[in-house]
Each structure stands twice: as C-alpha cells, then as structure tokens.
Amino acid sequence: MIDKGSGLTVLMIPGIQGRWEWISPAVDALATHCRVISDSLAGDRGSLRALEPAKGFHSYLDWVDELVNRCGAKQVALCGVSYGGLVALHYAAHRPERISSLVLISSPSPQRQPNRKFKWYLQAPRLLSPAFMLSSPFRLYPEITRAVSSFVHRAWFAITYLRCVIKYPCSSANMAKQVQLLADIDFVEDCKHIDAPTLVLTGSPRLDRVVSVGSTREYLKAVPGASYKQINDTGHIGLVTKPDVFAKAVSNFVMNHYHDDQLLLRALA
C-alpha cells in the first residue's frame, strides 16, 4: 500500500495491468494536492490482498475496504483508472457511505463487451501476451507524440515508462482472469445506485486507442448527475503523460465535493 501527501484522501485504483507503479506519476502529482493511497489490484504481485475465487469480482470490495480501513479516513474520494474504474464503480454502488466522490478515468463502457481481438487474446493469454505487449507501443505512440512535444522529453518519458513496465511486469494470466470476472456483474445496474458526485475523465477521442472515449462517455447517461472533463492532447494514459493537468482536474473536483469542512480547510491552508 502506498500513502503519500496530506489532506483529503483519494484512493487510486490502477488499470487491468494491476500494478500501481504504472500510474506513479499521477499518484505523485496528485499527492501535492491531496493525500493519495493506492495499491496493486487484489490478486496481483505486491497487493495487500489475494482474490477469493468464490467471491469473484466481489473480492475487490474486501480489498478496497481494507485500504480504506488502513488509511483511517471516514470517507475517500475514489478514483479508478480504466478497468479500475469498474472496480471503483462497483464499490461506490455497494459502499456509498464510504465514498465522498467518484472519478472514472477512461473506463470501459458499463456494458463492456470485449472486442474480437481481446477475446482472441483471452483464449491463450500466456502464449499470446508477447503479441499483445508488442502492439502496445503502436497504440500509445500517437498520444505520447501529441502529449509530449519535445523530442528529448518524449524520449525520456518512453525510457522511464519502459523501465517501469520491465521492473514491475504485469501478469497476462491475471489480466485474463480479471476480464473473466466481469461476466457476473451488472455494471449498468451499479450505475443506478451511485449517489456520490461523479466525474468522467477522458483524453481526446482520436488519441485513446485502448478504450473508446465514446464508450467511457456512456457513464454520463448511466450515472445520475455525472459530469465530464477531457484532458486535451492525451489519450488513454493522459494521467501519466500530463500528470499535473490530471492532478489539478481531480483535486478540484474532489475538494468541491467533500463534506468535512474542518478537513477541507486544513487541506486548503
């Protein structure tokens, strides 16, 4: 479990690759405004908690409960990245009393149907993972080029990001299992039970080649009262290519929707 910064508590849930380290630039930037806690997804290497097969996707409820209990906050702002947005949504629907606000970042549609390519990958995740990983740079390069204008900074970002991926590798078997866990959950129904103020955050439509921006924007109709913000000139990984812009957008939203006036005053001091 990672715990950085001070003030209002934001719990960040990483994407399907599972490792919180992959979003560490966003964690560090947000920690200059708020207290940020995070952990690798339950069941992944380095996580506080294993997945319980009998509970399936509901295991994530216990995992988030443990994180919230450990940080000692009455409520947290819950921020889910991509697949982590589905975890955050499910938790907010089942533990509304523990959530002050909800942020969904480039999350798949609540009706989330894996595309043909991903279904193909799920048939043999270990065997096909090299093909999946090799195709990733081609999906991400256009947005990195747009988000990071200087060639020197772009090269440094690519080297730093690649170093993180190598040092904290994802598990293809875990990723396949995480997708399979979605089958038994009605996320459309979860959306109807969200009471917390909700922000839907995406990159630019033409630059997110991992999750369609149109797919993420479906939450604007599905979640009552949800608002929307786009981080321009980024795609799926805008929270790490432009972490300061991301941090400002999220911190402004969670501070505007926090109800503990004493803590809010201390955070703004």
Side-chain angles (χ1 to χ4, degrees), residues 40 52 54 56 64 86 99-100 102 124-125 133 139 142 150 153 177 182 195 211 216 238 245 265:
S40 294
E52 298 179 49
V64 179
L86 296 173
I99 301 302
S100 60
L102 176 65
M133 296 303 292
R139 293 194 299 272
S150 162
H153 291 154
K177 186 187 304 179
L182 301 176
D195 294 327
V211 174
T216 304
V245 177
L265 287 172

Side-chain angles (χ1 to χ4, degrees), residues 140-151 153-154 157 203-204 207 231-243 245:
L140 298 178
Y141 181 75
E143 70 163 292
I144 293 172
T145 301
R146 187 74 172 268
V148 187
S149 56
S150 162
F151 175 79
H153 291 154
R154 198 181 306 152
F157 174 85
S204 301
L207 294 177
I231 301 180
N232 294 324
D233 298 322
T234 69
H236 197 69
I237 58 170
L239 74 166
V240 294
T241 57
K242 292 194 172 185
V245 177

Side-chain angles (χ1 to χ4, degrees), residues 1 13 15-16 148 162 180 194:
M1 173 178 168
I13 300 177
I16 195 169
V148 187
L162 181 60
Q180 291 163 354
I194 301 299

Side-chain angles (χ1 to χ4, degrees), residues 123-142:
Q123 293 174 9
R126 285 192 176 92
L127 181 63
L128 298 174
S129 60
F132 182 80
M133 296 303 292
L134 286 172
S135 67
S136 295
F138 296 99
R139 293 194 299 272
L140 298 178
Y141 181 75

Side-chain angles (χ1 to χ4, degrees), residues 28-50:
D28 291 340
L30 191 55
T32 64
H33 302 273
C34 312
R35 179 190 182 193
V36 184
I37 61 173
S38 190
D39 187 34
S40 294
L41 281 177
D44 272 89
R45 199 177 311 166
S47 179
L48 286 175
R49 200 177 187 95

